[in-house]
mmCIF file of all heavy atoms in Angstrom:
data_model
loop_
_atom_site.group_PDB
_atom_site.id
_atom_site.type_symbol
_atom_site.label_atom_id
_atom_site.label_comp_id
_atom_site.label_asym_id
_atom_site.label_seq_id
_atom_site.Cartn_x
_atom_site.Cartn_y
_atom_site.Cartn_z
ATOM 1 N N VAL A 239 -12.633 23.904 7.253
ATOM 2 C CA VAL A 239 -13.304 24.629 6.171
ATOM 3 C C VAL A 239 -14.092 25.793 6.761
ATOM 4 O O VAL A 239 -14.655 25.699 7.859
ATOM 5 C CB VAL A 239 -14.270 23.692 5.404
ATOM 6 C CG1 VAL A 239 -15.000 24.443 4.293
ATOM 7 C CG2 VAL A 239 -13.505 22.511 4.825
ATOM 8 N N GLU A 240 -14.114 26.924 6.031
ATOM 9 C CA GLU A 240 -14.934 28.063 6.431
ATOM 10 C C GLU A 240 -15.374 28.836 5.193
ATOM 11 O O GLU A 240 -14.807 28.687 4.107
ATOM 12 C CB GLU A 240 -14.156 28.980 7.366
ATOM 13 C CG GLU A 240 -13.022 29.728 6.697
ATOM 14 C CD GLU A 240 -12.385 30.752 7.615
ATOM 15 O OE1 GLU A 240 -12.963 31.056 8.666
ATOM 16 O OE2 GLU A 240 -11.308 31.275 7.279
ATOM 17 N N SER A 241 -16.372 29.673 5.398
ATOM 18 C CA SER A 241 -16.860 30.532 4.324
ATOM 19 C C SER A 241 -15.901 31.710 4.148
ATOM 20 O O SER A 241 -15.245 32.135 5.097
ATOM 21 C CB SER A 241 -18.263 31.043 4.655
ATOM 22 O OG SER A 241 -18.726 31.943 3.667
ATOM 23 N N PHE A 242 -15.790 32.226 2.932
ATOM 24 C CA PHE A 242 -14.918 33.369 2.689
ATOM 25 C C PHE A 242 -15.706 34.491 2.006
ATOM 26 O O PHE A 242 -16.794 34.280 1.466
ATOM 27 C CB PHE A 242 -13.705 32.975 1.843
ATOM 28 C CG PHE A 242 -14.049 32.546 0.445
ATOM 29 C CD1 PHE A 242 -14.157 33.476 -0.583
ATOM 30 C CD2 PHE A 242 -14.253 31.209 0.146
ATOM 31 C CE1 PHE A 242 -14.461 33.081 -1.864
ATOM 32 C CE2 PHE A 242 -14.555 30.810 -1.151
ATOM 33 C CZ PHE A 242 -14.670 31.743 -2.153
ATOM 34 N N THR A 243 -15.124 35.672 2.072
ATOM 35 C CA THR A 243 -15.758 36.836 1.456
ATOM 36 C C THR A 243 -14.685 37.693 0.785
ATOM 37 O O THR A 243 -13.490 37.494 1.004
ATOM 38 C CB THR A 243 -16.516 37.659 2.506
ATOM 39 O OG1 THR A 243 -17.245 38.700 1.854
ATOM 40 C CG2 THR A 243 -15.552 38.285 3.500
ATOM 41 N N GLU A 244 -15.116 38.656 0.004
ATOM 42 C CA GLU A 244 -14.179 39.562 -0.667
ATOM 43 C C GLU A 244 -14.039 40.834 0.161
ATOM 44 O O GLU A 244 -15.026 41.391 0.638
ATOM 45 C CB GLU A 244 -14.665 39.890 -2.077
ATOM 46 C CG GLU A 244 -13.672 40.716 -2.877
ATOM 47 C CD GLU A 244 -14.105 40.908 -4.322
ATOM 48 O OE1 GLU A 244 -14.866 41.862 -4.585
ATOM 49 O OE2 GLU A 244 -13.695 40.091 -5.164
ATOM 50 N N ASP A 245 -12.832 41.303 0.300
ATOM 51 C CA ASP A 245 -12.554 42.512 1.066
ATOM 52 C C ASP A 245 -11.409 43.259 0.362
ATOM 53 O O ASP A 245 -10.769 42.724 -0.559
ATOM 54 C CB ASP A 245 -12.171 42.154 2.497
ATOM 55 C CG ASP A 245 -12.301 43.342 3.438
ATOM 56 O OD1 ASP A 245 -12.834 44.382 2.991
ATOM 57 O OD2 ASP A 245 -11.861 43.229 4.590
ATOM 58 N N SER A 246 -11.149 44.499 0.790
ATOM 59 C CA SER A 246 -10.083 45.284 0.163
ATOM 60 C C SER A 246 -9.502 46.287 1.153
ATOM 61 O O SER A 246 -10.128 46.637 2.153
ATOM 62 C CB SER A 246 -10.603 46.007 -1.084
ATOM 63 O OG SER A 246 -11.598 46.958 -0.724
ATOM 64 N N ARG A 247 -8.286 46.743 0.861
ATOM 65 C CA ARG A 247 -7.616 47.763 1.654
ATOM 66 C C ARG A 247 -6.867 48.701 0.705
ATOM 67 O O ARG A 247 -6.387 48.292 -0.357
ATOM 68 C CB ARG A 247 -6.606 47.135 2.621
ATOM 69 C CG ARG A 247 -7.211 46.338 3.759
ATOM 70 C CD ARG A 247 -7.889 47.238 4.783
ATOM 71 N NE ARG A 247 -8.351 46.490 5.937
ATOM 72 C CZ ARG A 247 -9.527 45.871 6.015
ATOM 73 N NH1 ARG A 247 -10.345 45.915 4.962
ATOM 74 N NH2 ARG A 247 -9.883 45.230 7.100
ATOM 75 N N MET A 248 -6.745 49.962 1.119
ATOM 76 C CA MET A 248 -5.921 50.923 0.390
ATOM 77 C C MET A 248 -4.497 50.828 0.921
ATOM 78 O O MET A 248 -4.262 50.858 2.139
ATOM 79 C CB MET A 248 -6.456 52.344 0.562
ATOM 80 C CG MET A 248 -7.813 52.575 -0.088
ATOM 81 S SD MET A 248 -7.822 52.258 -1.873
ATOM 82 C CE MET A 248 -6.644 53.503 -2.454
ATOM 83 N N VAL A 249 -3.538 50.724 -0.014
ATOM 84 C CA VAL A 249 -2.136 50.524 0.369
ATOM 85 C C VAL A 249 -1.284 51.569 -0.342
ATOM 86 O O VAL A 249 -1.405 51.767 -1.561
ATOM 87 C CB VAL A 249 -1.665 49.103 -0.020
ATOM 88 C CG1 VAL A 249 -0.191 48.915 0.342
ATOM 89 C CG2 VAL A 249 -2.533 48.051 0.663
ATOM 90 N N ALA A 250 -0.417 52.227 0.422
ATOM 91 C CA ALA A 250 0.501 53.218 -0.158
ATOM 92 C C ALA A 250 1.554 52.517 -1.002
ATOM 93 O O ALA A 250 2.029 51.434 -0.656
ATOM 94 C CB ALA A 250 1.152 54.036 0.948
ATOM 95 N N VAL A 251 1.951 53.192 -2.124
ATOM 96 C CA VAL A 251 2.972 52.644 -3.007
ATOM 97 C C VAL A 251 4.310 53.299 -2.668
ATOM 98 O O VAL A 251 4.411 54.537 -2.583
ATOM 99 C CB VAL A 251 2.621 52.897 -4.486
ATOM 100 C CG1 VAL A 251 3.706 52.308 -5.395
ATOM 101 C CG2 VAL A 251 1.260 52.306 -4.817
ATOM 102 N N ARG A 252 5.342 52.470 -2.478
ATOM 103 C CA ARG A 252 6.679 52.952 -2.117
ATOM 104 C C ARG A 252 7.613 52.750 -3.302
ATOM 105 O O ARG A 252 7.562 51.734 -4.001
ATOM 106 C CB ARG A 252 7.195 52.181 -0.908
ATOM 107 C CG ARG A 252 8.562 52.610 -0.435
ATOM 108 C CD ARG A 252 8.933 51.871 0.859
ATOM 109 N NE ARG A 252 8.943 50.428 0.665
ATOM 110 C CZ ARG A 252 9.987 49.749 0.189
ATOM 111 N NH1 ARG A 252 11.102 50.401 -0.168
ATOM 112 N NH2 ARG A 252 9.935 48.447 0.067
ATOM 113 N N SER A 253 8.473 53.727 -3.547
ATOM 114 C CA SER A 253 9.419 53.634 -4.656
ATOM 115 C C SER A 253 10.759 53.127 -4.162
ATOM 116 O O SER A 253 11.161 53.404 -3.034
ATOM 117 C CB SER A 253 9.582 54.989 -5.333
ATOM 118 O OG SER A 253 10.166 55.912 -4.423
ATOM 119 N N GLN A 254 11.442 52.376 -5.023
ATOM 120 C CA GLN A 254 12.805 51.935 -4.738
ATOM 121 C C GLN A 254 13.754 52.876 -5.471
ATOM 122 O O GLN A 254 14.163 52.623 -6.598
ATOM 123 C CB GLN A 254 13.004 50.482 -5.197
ATOM 124 C CG GLN A 254 12.272 49.475 -4.331
ATOM 125 C CD GLN A 254 12.599 48.043 -4.725
ATOM 126 O OE1 GLN A 254 12.899 47.783 -5.892
ATOM 127 N NE2 GLN A 254 12.514 47.127 -3.781
ATOM 128 N N GLN A 255 14.092 53.987 -4.812
ATOM 129 C CA GLN A 255 14.900 55.016 -5.443
ATOM 130 C C GLN A 255 16.366 54.606 -5.470
ATOM 131 O O GLN A 255 16.921 54.199 -4.469
ATOM 132 C CB GLN A 255 14.746 56.346 -4.693
ATOM 133 C CG GLN A 255 15.390 57.518 -5.394
ATOM 134 C CD GLN A 255 14.980 58.822 -4.713
ATOM 135 O OE1 GLN A 255 13.979 58.885 -4.010
ATOM 136 N NE2 GLN A 255 15.786 59.862 -4.945
ATOM 137 N N LYS A 256 16.975 54.697 -6.667
ATOM 138 C CA LYS A 256 18.361 54.282 -6.835
ATOM 139 C C LYS A 256 19.333 55.453 -6.977
ATOM 140 O O LYS A 256 20.524 55.265 -6.977
ATOM 141 C CB LYS A 256 18.479 53.373 -8.062
ATOM 142 C CG LYS A 256 17.742 52.052 -7.901
ATOM 143 C CD LYS A 256 17.967 51.152 -9.087
ATOM 144 C CE LYS A 256 17.259 49.819 -8.884
ATOM 145 N NZ LYS A 256 17.484 48.915 -10.035
ATOM 146 N N ALA A 257 18.832 56.638 -7.203
ATOM 147 C CA ALA A 257 19.714 57.814 -7.339
ATOM 148 C C ALA A 257 19.224 58.915 -6.409
ATOM 149 O O ALA A 257 18.053 59.237 -6.384
ATOM 150 C CB ALA A 257 19.720 58.313 -8.787
ATOM 151 N N ASP A 258 20.173 59.508 -5.649
ATOM 152 C CA ASP A 258 19.779 60.540 -4.686
ATOM 153 C C ASP A 258 19.248 61.790 -5.373
ATOM 154 O O ASP A 258 18.496 62.563 -4.775
ATOM 155 C CB ASP A 258 20.978 60.914 -3.807
ATOM 156 C CG ASP A 258 21.444 59.739 -2.959
ATOM 157 O OD1 ASP A 258 20.598 58.838 -2.709
ATOM 158 O OD2 ASP A 258 22.629 59.709 -2.572
ATOM 159 N N SER A 259 19.662 62.001 -6.615
ATOM 160 C CA SER A 259 19.252 63.226 -7.316
ATOM 161 C C SER A 259 17.856 63.139 -7.903
ATOM 162 O O SER A 259 17.354 64.115 -8.459
ATOM 163 C CB SER A 259 20.252 63.529 -8.434
ATOM 164 O OG SER A 259 20.296 62.452 -9.361
ATOM 165 N N VAL A 260 17.228 61.973 -7.793
ATOM 166 C CA VAL A 260 15.909 61.781 -8.391
ATOM 167 C C VAL A 260 14.841 61.952 -7.323
ATOM 168 O O VAL A 260 14.871 61.277 -6.300
ATOM 169 C CB VAL A 260 15.801 60.396 -9.053
ATOM 170 C CG1 VAL A 260 14.380 60.178 -9.575
ATOM 171 C CG2 VAL A 260 16.809 60.270 -10.180
ATOM 172 N N ASN A 261 13.912 62.827 -7.605
ATOM 173 C CA ASN A 261 12.754 63.023 -6.722
ATOM 174 C C ASN A 261 11.532 62.583 -7.506
ATOM 175 O O ASN A 261 11.161 63.202 -8.503
ATOM 176 C CB ASN A 261 12.654 64.491 -6.313
ATOM 177 C CG ASN A 261 11.530 64.695 -5.305
ATOM 178 O OD1 ASN A 261 10.893 63.742 -4.850
ATOM 179 N ND2 ASN A 261 11.271 65.958 -4.967
ATOM 180 N N LEU A 262 10.908 61.477 -7.043
ATOM 181 C CA LEU A 262 9.834 60.837 -7.808
ATOM 182 C C LEU A 262 8.500 61.008 -7.107
ATOM 183 O O LEU A 262 8.387 60.785 -5.908
ATOM 184 C CB LEU A 262 10.137 59.344 -7.987
ATOM 185 C CG LEU A 262 9.199 58.566 -8.902
ATOM 186 C CD1 LEU A 262 9.416 58.967 -10.348
ATOM 187 C CD2 LEU A 262 9.419 57.073 -8.732
ATOM 188 N N ARG A 263 7.527 61.419 -7.902
ATOM 189 C CA ARG A 263 6.152 61.472 -7.391
ATOM 190 C C ARG A 263 5.306 60.514 -8.226
ATOM 191 O O ARG A 263 5.443 60.441 -9.457
ATOM 192 C CB ARG A 263 5.600 62.891 -7.489
ATOM 193 C CG ARG A 263 6.300 63.879 -6.580
ATOM 194 C CD ARG A 263 5.542 65.176 -6.510
ATOM 195 N NE ARG A 263 4.199 64.988 -5.983
ATOM 196 C CZ ARG A 263 3.287 65.971 -5.861
ATOM 197 N NH1 ARG A 263 3.610 67.207 -6.278
ATOM 198 N NH2 ARG A 263 2.107 65.744 -5.345
ATOM 199 N N LEU A 264 4.429 59.765 -7.543
ATOM 200 C CA LEU A 264 3.597 58.748 -8.193
ATOM 201 C C LEU A 264 2.157 59.215 -8.234
ATOM 202 O O LEU A 264 1.660 59.846 -7.282
ATOM 203 C CB LEU A 264 3.706 57.417 -7.436
ATOM 204 C CG LEU A 264 5.117 56.832 -7.289
ATOM 205 C CD1 LEU A 264 5.088 55.588 -6.424
ATOM 206 C CD2 LEU A 264 5.728 56.535 -8.654
ATOM 207 N N PHE A 265 1.468 58.861 -9.317
ATOM 208 C CA PHE A 265 0.056 59.225 -9.485
ATOM 209 C C PHE A 265 -0.719 57.983 -9.968
ATOM 210 O O PHE A 265 -0.470 57.504 -11.088
ATOM 211 C CB PHE A 265 -0.097 60.363 -10.517
ATOM 212 C CG PHE A 265 0.680 61.596 -10.181
ATOM 213 C CD1 PHE A 265 1.941 61.813 -10.724
ATOM 214 C CD2 PHE A 265 0.155 62.542 -9.306
ATOM 215 C CE1 PHE A 265 2.648 62.956 -10.423
ATOM 216 C CE2 PHE A 265 0.873 63.693 -9.017
ATOM 217 C CZ PHE A 265 2.123 63.894 -9.571
ATOM 218 N N PRO A 266 -1.568 57.430 -9.141
ATOM 219 C CA PRO A 266 -1.805 57.771 -7.725
ATOM 220 C C PRO A 266 -0.704 57.194 -6.849
ATOM 221 O O PRO A 266 0.042 56.327 -7.279
ATOM 222 C CB PRO A 266 -3.146 57.095 -7.446
ATOM 223 C CG PRO A 266 -3.156 55.897 -8.336
ATOM 224 C CD PRO A 266 -2.457 56.316 -9.602
#
Side-chain angles (χ1 to χ4, degrees):
V239 179
E240 69 173 347
S241 176
F242 65 88
T243 186
E244 186 174 86
D245 198 8
S246 64
R247 291 289 186 274
M248 293 301 298
V249 178
V251 180
R252 181 175 59 85
S253 65
Q254 289 186 331
Q255 188 170 340
K256 294 184 178 181
D258 296 336
S259 60
V260 176
N261 185 5
L262 187 71
R263 293 192 61 183
L264 302 175
F265 303 96

